[in-house]
Amino acid sequence: MKIMPCPLNGPRNISEFVCGGEVVIPPDPARCSAAEWADYVFMRDNVAGVVREWWYHVATAYWFIAERDTVTDEIIRTYPASELFSKRVVFTAPEEASEAGASEAGASGGKP
Amino acid sequence: MTANGWRLPAPAGRLLDRSRQVAFSFEGRGYEGFAGDTIASALAANGQWLLSRSFKYHRPRGVLTMAGQDANTLVQLKEEPNVLADRREIESGLEVWGQNYTGSLERDRDAWIGRFSAFLPVGFYYKAFYKPKGAWRYWEPIIRRRAGLGRVNLDASPGYYDKAYGWPDVAVIGGGPAGMSAALEAAGAGAEVILIEEGPILGGALNYARLAADGNRAASLRDELVAAVEAEPNIQVLTSAICQAWFTDNWLPCVQGNRLYKLRAREVVVATGSLEQPMVFRNNDMPGVMLGSAAQRLIRLYGVRPGRRAVVVTANGDGYGVALDLVEAGVEVAAVVDLRPDLPVCERIEAVRGHGVDVIPGHTVWEGVPGPDKRHVAGVRVARITGEGECADGDRAIDCDLICMATGYAPTAQLLYHARGKLAYDDQTAMFTVKKLPPHLHAAGSVNSAFYLDAVVAEGRHAGWAAARANLDPTSSGNSRLLWPTTSGVLATAVVVLAVLVARTPTTVPTVIEATVPALEQPAEQVVAKPQVETLARRSRLTFRHWAETAPLLAMRERALRGEFTEPSLAVSLTTAPVPTTARELMREFLPEAERSESASPAVFPAWPWLRVYGRETI
């Protein structure tokens, strides 16, 4: 059985973990087009190579991020999500969306 | 019981407890064996070689491997079908029956099916009896009765099974010379080791094989290694235990009796050895035809004479070892048939000739001749090999009741295949090797196609060292396939030697090594942090000792693989060469007080003769 190095609990059997899928940064729901939103909800890259994924340690209810190679099945690096999401993500409220227009102030995609 | 002449006197039969007789029954007749006998060996000691009947044609079946590696010895117990008679030990009152016959085992009424073999290709009845639709329901019970594999006892009582967990630093699989050497080396470096052995005792091939013309070499090495393993507190030994699989990241399920061990090892050394391969000729499935190693197991492990008059067919030196063992066990060896046209100069061949045995090179066995009762082999037909897959017309008949096949080995590399190792055949050496192993998995010994005893031991020690090293330093993948001496190894050793010789200062040997070896191994920009120093010092001592001790042997193995020397020169073993007193004194002078008592053990000292030899060559 494979070992997953959990940033919180150390190396544990991979059966204690659940994969949460690729790390995808959500677009601002108020501003993006329907196509962009559909892309975010339904489409994934499914890369053969190094991917960045959400993983969840069930016993301690801990979400973290793992980088692994889907070709060689090698776990390259795991780290807490705070390393990637260092800022609070604030989406604009739906009513203000039309007024704010193209202005980027106060909103960000959350990508560091 | 010895009256019939099959049981050999006391030195033979390592597994037997001759003070305890065990009575059991086979086919309703009472037999007696000793405690430690398997069903097959106890029956053989009573002259009963026929154990079962084959699945389809009801051909007679007897001992083939004596190692539980074949389906020839499947027998029926009261509670359990398909028991391997060459693995299951006898116990008092055990009732054993042959399998798959109609009437009696000796006179199977269904043996006539064999005459129609030409009309019954593989899968015949699954095609022929399925039509018309629904016909199978009628035919199945008839066919199942004739081609079944024992009866299942539906009233079998449930047993108690439990689990245990382990987290060893190093798991060594296989308790032969390579495995024991690896375990000792790793444990000596401070790793917690678990040693898993399939058989009831440690020793592997050393228990039964004859690895040199002198029959005592293997036994003395075995005693030495077993004593060392038993004295080592860091080694936990599991005997009669089978490692069933290798899963990702060294997760090993391992079964011993009714207990399942779930082991998660940091490093795994696979030293599972190799299996002798049967040879293909007509009637090679008759009782009386067995592997050379099976005959040796019968003699050495169970004290059973495997036949009265034998023919050995071989293509390597081990076949001659089998012939010598047979001669010593009182079996008349009619001939040794060697497939090779030109025989190499070899101690064992000369020893066999010295016993007046007819050695026939360039010939092959092409048929085993069944006896009048069709239940045991009664002779062989031998023909000259004229080309690939071709024999000369005229053949020669030799009477015998035992044919020993010693024609080659295949590595027992199943665990390595689990780890995606790739099997490759090397035409040059006529050997299989396994390549592309993942990190933290090491192979040593004949599973890695090392067959000379010294090389096997050296490889075991190397793998143990690599495992311990990787364990001490988690950043190292510890690839055991590194061949020594490499350029950096030579360079580092040369620097160490120079440092010791030039700077005959108050510095001690370990500090000199600490100063030089890590410096060579670490990338220049890497700064050694304080907590690492202890590990590095330990590792460098280990590295140093390891180079010194195993490099010449591994180099020898490489030369042997390239065919640059043959067996006799191996008599000059570097591990057994006497240590010069000057080297001992030199060592004492340089070692600090604490290290001296440890260094008095032979494990540390043989470093020095090699250093001298090596230094002369390289510096």
Side-chain angles (χ1 to χ4, degrees):
Chain A
M1 189 189 290
K2 227 178 152 45
I3 286 180
M4 168 67 85
C6 174
L8 184 66
N9 303 288
R12 308 289 302 176
N13 286 345
I14 205 160
S15 61
E16 296 179 8
F17 296 85
V18 171
C19 180
E22 284 170 23
V23 175
V24 184
I25 309 300
D28 186 338
R31 295 187 203 185
C32 67
S33 67
E36 273 170 350
W37 187 251
D39 188 64
Y40 159 68
V41 173
F42 298 112
M43 307 305 276
R44 293 293 178 268
D45 288 343
N46 197 22
V47 174
V50 178
V51 293
R52 195 163 59 178
E53 289 171 336
W54 284 105
W55 280 78
Y56 177 61
H57 185 240
V58 178
T60 54
Y62 178 67
W63 282 101
F64 61 96
I65 292 169
E67 281 172 17
R68 60 184 199 97
D69 193 325
T70 54
V71 177
T72 61
D73 194 24
E74 180 192 2
I75 297 167
I76 296 158
R77 202 163 81 92
T78 57
Y79 46 88
S82 58
E83 216 172 280
L84 207 59
F85 299 96
S86 50
K87 259 195 309 192
R88 184 182 169 81
V89 180
V90 184
F91 293 118
T92 44
E95 307 89 60
E96 296 164 24
S98 52
E99 295 160 26
S103 162
E104 287 289 316
S108 86
K111 206 163 184 170
Chain B
M1 206 155 68
T2 46
N4 58 25
W6 292 106
R7 189 67 87 172
L8 294 165
R14 190 187 281 279
L15 294 180
L16 300 185
D17 175 3
R18 292 187 194 241
S19 61
R20 281 198 294 142
Q21 291 216 334
V22 176
F24 68 105
S25 76
F26 179 67
E27 290 288 312
R29 270 189 63 194
Y31 290 93
E32 282 202 336
F34 292 119
D37 254 329
T38 61
I39 295 168
S41 72
L43 289 173
N46 288 288
Q48 174 67 41
W49 291 96
L50 177 63
L51 292 171
S52 217
R53 289 277 175 172
S54 78
F55 182 70
K56 187 172 176 184
Y57 297 132
H58 294 245
R59 288 170 68 85
R61 288 280 190 255
V63 164
L64 176 66
T65 59
M66 272 317 281
Q69 303 290 351
D70 61 280
N72 275 9
T73 60
L74 296 183
V75 291
Q76 173 84 43
L77 301 187
K78 218 170 162 186
E79 298 263 309
E80 203 179 342
N82 306 334
V83 170
L84 291 166
D86 53 354
R87 286 293 294 275
R88 179 65 66 95
E89 280 187 28
I90 52 168
E91 37 194 278
S92 184
L94 192 69
E95 282 176 39
V96 187
W97 298 85
Q99 276 185 187
N100 205 34
Y101 57 84
T102 315
S104 78
L105 178 64
E106 302 288 327
R107 296 187 195 293
D108 188 344
R109 284 205 300 275
D110 282 337
W112 55 267
I113 293 176
R115 292 176 193 278
F116 295 92
S117 62
F119 307 104
L120 299 169
V122 175
F124 167 75
Y125 22 72
Y126 297 103
K127 293 170 190 153
F129 297 108
Y130 263 90
K131 285 173 193 165
K133 201 180 173 193
W136 180 244
R137 210 178 307 161
Y138 168 75
W139 286 110
E140 190 186 7
I142 300 171
I143 292 168
R144 283 275 175 264
R145 247 196 321 276
R146 277 175 175 65
L149 281 173
R151 300 178 306 275
V152 177
N153 180 7
L154 296 173
D155 302 323
S157 50
Y160 176 77
Y161 296 82
D162 62 11
K163 284 180 277 193
Y165 295 83
W167 295 269
D169 293 333
V170 179
V172 180
I173 300 153
M180 285 194 285
S181 310
L184 283 171
E185 194 78 3
E192 262 179 53
V193 181
I194 193 162
L195 178 59
I196 300 158
E197 163 61 36
E198 189 184 17
I201 53 170
L202 287 174
L206 297 176
N207 286 328
Y208 60 85
R210 188 191 189 99
L211 301 153
D214 166 24
N216 296 323
R217 169 94 203 277
S220 60
L221 178 63
R222 177 202 179 265
D223 294 344
E224 208 176 288
L225 286 173
V226 170
V229 167
E230 279 168 0
E232 176 59 70
N234 276 354
I235 302 178
Q236 185 195 351
V237 180
L238 295 184
T239 50
S240 302
I242 295 172
C243 179
Q244 292 184 315
W246 179 94
F247 289 101
T248 315
D249 290 334
N250 292 340
W251 195 89
L252 308 166
C254 176
V255 175
Q256 185 190 40
N258 285 359
R259 176 165 297 171
L260 172 67
Y261 286 87
K262 296 182 173 182
L263 305 176
R264 174 76 79 176
R266 281 181 206 274
E267 300 288 317
V268 173
V269 178
V270 174
T272 44
S274 51
L275 287 178
E276 207 155 28
Q277 295 298 291
M279 191 186 151
V280 179
F281 56 87
R282 203 168 162 216
N283 289 329
N284 71 349
D285 61 336
M286 299 283 297
V289 181
M290 64 178 83
L291 300 179
S293 57
Q296 288 176 315
R297 280 176 208 261
L298 277 173
I299 295 169
R300 292 257 168 79
L301 298 181
Y302 302 108
V304 176
R305 179 173 299 153
R308 296 188 197 280
R309 191 177 148 89
V311 168
V312 179
V313 52
T314 187
N316 53 46
D318 289 341
Y320 294 88
V322 173
L324 289 174
D325 278 342
L326 290 173
V327 168
E328 278 176 19
V331 180
E332 184 192 347
V333 180
V336 177
V337 180
D338 201 316
L339 305 181
R340 297 170 291 184
D342 307 307
L343 300 186
V345 180
C346 171
E347 276 181 359
R348 286 182 284 188
I349 298 179
E350 292 314 311
V352 167
R353 284 205 175 106
H355 285 288
V357 173
D358 192 9
V359 176
I360 314 172
H363 281 60
T364 185
V365 166
W366 72 272
E367 183 181 12
V369 183
D373 57 1
K374 304 244 165 95
R375 292 198 296 267
H376 206 87
V377 77
V380 285
R381 285 177 179 281
V382 172
R384 191 167 56 80
I385 301 170
T386 52
E388 211 175 302
E390 287 175 4
C391 283
D393 284 341
D395 61 17
R396 183 173 153 185
I398 305 173
D399 287 342
C400 66
D401 67 346
L402 171 65
I403 303 173
C404 289
M405 303 176 282
T407 46
Y409 299 87
T412 321
Q414 287 87 341
L415 291 175
L416 301 178
Y417 304 147
H418 291 185
R420 290 182 229 151
K422 294 274 176 293
L423 184 72
Y425 185 76
D426 184 1
D427 274 327
Q428 197 75 37
T429 57
M431 282 180 196
F432 288 103
T433 50
V434 183
K435 299 201 162 81
K436 295 187 182 164
L437 294 181
H440 308 295
L441 179 65
H442 316 264
S446 65
V447 72
N448 196 19
S449 75
F451 282 91
Y452 298 102
L453 190 51
D454 288 333
V456 167
V457 170
E459 238 190 35
R461 298 184 64 174
H462 180 77
W465 166 79
R469 181 197 146 120
N471 195 38
L472 290 174
D473 176 9
T475 55
S476 154
S477 73
N479 186 354
S480 75
R481 280 169 182 266
L482 216 58
L483 283 173
W484 298 85
T486 57
T487 325
S488 66
V490 173
L491 194 70
T493 318
V495 170
V496 172
V497 173
L498 277 176
V500 172
L501 295 180
V502 173
R504 288 191 67 139
T505 57
T507 44
T508 59
V509 173
T511 45
V512 172
I513 301 162
E514 276 160 36
T516 51
V517 177
L520 281 166
E521 288 187 344
Q522 300 294 318
E525 67 272 20
Q526 191 175 334
V527 181
V528 182
K530 262 266 190 283
Q532 277 190 306
V533 170
E534 179 55 32
T535 310
L536 275 175
R538 195 168 167 192
R539 202 185 90 189
S540 53
R541 271 201 292 279
L542 204 66
T543 310
F544 177 67
R545 204 187 82 193
H546 176 76
W547 279 334
E549 288 177 12
T550 60
L553 293 168
L554 287 169
M556 199 158 75
R557 184 203 154 197
E558 285 305 296
R559 296 218 313 276
L561 280 178
R562 290 199 302 268
E564 284 176 18
F565 66 65
T566 48
E567 284 163 76
S569 63
L570 275 170
V572 190
S573 162
L574 282 159
T575 47
T576 53
V579 181
T581 40
T582 48
R584 273 178 189 277
E585 281 157 16
L586 189 70
M587 192 79 170
R588 279 213 190 91
E589 195 182 320
F590 278 110
L591 281 182
E593 195 72 47
E595 303 262 350
R596 268 182 215 169
S597 55
E598 187 196 339
S599 69
S601 73
V604 177
F605 263 117
W608 289 90
W610 171 75
L611 259 189
R612 282 181 67 229
V613 173
Y614 209 67
R616 211 180 298 147
E617 282 171 3
T618 55
I619 302 174

